[in-house]
Amino acid sequence: MTPDDLMAEACRLAEESVENGWGGPFGAVIVKDGEIVARGQNRVLLTGDVTAHAEMEAIRKACSTLIPEAPTISVAHVNESLLELVPRPPGSPDKVPMRAKMLMGYEIYTSGAPCPMCMSAIYWARIGAVYFANDLAETSAIGFDDEFQYQDFAKPYEQRSITIRQLRPELGTPSYAAWDGRPNKHPY
């Protein structure tokens, strides 16, 4: 499929979401070598799940399609498929030399510029390219405050629109120590 075909499919999914009352006008497709691996649509109104954005749904479907045995995966098989460890890219600021491959080498086409949650998931999934039809200003103009969130994230904690502060760090230390000391941890 061409990039135009892929974007047309993402936008078709967005329109279908609106027509069916599932959620906002957002659709996404995850692609490898020009072929669609997974589709996602905004389903916030359908599910009541505020994380059911098109990009999140597409990432979840791609992962479940590419590792269908994930619910029963064992420690012995953790390095298979998307969880295979690969070296960090040259010039990466990552301090860990190897990470799980995840969706490295895949692309995502989406009807609107991803919100901060979805963009973070795209980074975590290691998707290599993002293509969008509508930008943040257009998204904001129809009532989705993604642009505001990006602006808020740039501010120091004490200036943000919600209260953010560290509380009882000593309670979090044991779980971090457990991870740090785990001999067979799998960086993802």
Side-chain angles (χ1 to χ4, degrees), residues 131-183:
Y131 303 100
F132 59 88
N134 296 298
D135 66 19
L136 291 174
E138 292 164 322
T139 303
S140 183
I142 62 165
F144 293 89
D145 65 358
D146 300 351
E147 187 172 25
F148 160 77
Q149 292 172 32
Y150 276 110
Q151 293 167 358
D152 206 46
F153 279 143
K155 297 176 184 175
Y157 287 149
E158 64 276 1
Q159 293 176 14
R160 294 197 191 172
S161 63
I162 62 172
T163 301
I164 302 174
R165 66 182 176 99
Q166 187 174 20
L167 179 66
R168 302 285 311 272
E170 72 278 7
L171 295 176
T173 300
S175 62
Y176 275 35
W179 174 261
D180 196 41
R182 186 178 173 94

Side-chain angles (χ1 to χ4, degrees), residues 8-182:
E9 177 61 4
C11 292
R12 183 197 69 75
L13 291 166
E15 194 170 344
E16 183 179 70
S17 180
V18 173
E19 289 170 356
N20 289 325
W22 294 337
F26 305 105
V29 294
I30 293 182
V31 177
K32 176 78 169 175
D33 300 326
E35 296 300 318
I36 295 174
V37 173
R39 291 171 169 80
Q41 295 169 285
N42 185 291
R43 294 182 178 213
V44 171
L45 296 176
L46 179 67
T47 64
D49 177 353
V50 298
T51 70
H53 290 198
E55 298 91 337
M56 301 293 286
E57 295 288 302
I59 289 169
R60 288 176 185 134
K61 287 177 185 170
C63 291
S64 66
T65 297
L66 296 167
I67 347 177
E69 75 282 1
T72 59
I73 199 164
S74 69
V75 174
H77 298 288
V78 77
N79 282 315
E80 294 175 2
S81 189
L82 301 181
L83 299 176
E84 171 192 354
L85 290 175
V86 296
R88 67 178 177 219
S92 170
D94 194 346
K95 296 175 181 137
V96 179
M98 303 280 282
R99 292 271 184 201
K101 180 173 72 174
M102 303 302 219
L103 297 175
M104 191 179 286
Y106 291 76
E107 301 173 328
I108 189 166
Y109 289 75
T110 180
S111 60
C115 74
M117 174 185 67
C118 293
M119 200 66 233
S120 292
I122 289 165
Y123 277 107
W124 283 113
R126 293 181 186 66
I127 293 172
V130 178
Y131 303 100
F132 59 88
N134 296 298
D135 66 19
L136 291 174
E138 292 164 322
T139 303
S140 183
I142 62 165
F144 293 89
D145 65 358
D146 300 351
E147 187 172 25
F148 160 77
Q149 292 172 32
Y150 276 110
Q151 293 167 358
D152 206 46
F153 279 143
K155 297 176 184 175
Y157 287 149
E158 64 276 1
Q159 293 176 14
R160 294 197 191 172
S161 63
I162 62 172
T163 301
I164 302 174
R165 66 182 176 99
Q166 187 174 20
L167 179 66
R168 302 285 311 272
E170 72 278 7
L171 295 176
T173 300
S175 62
Y176 275 35
W179 174 261
D180 196 41
R182 186 178 173 94

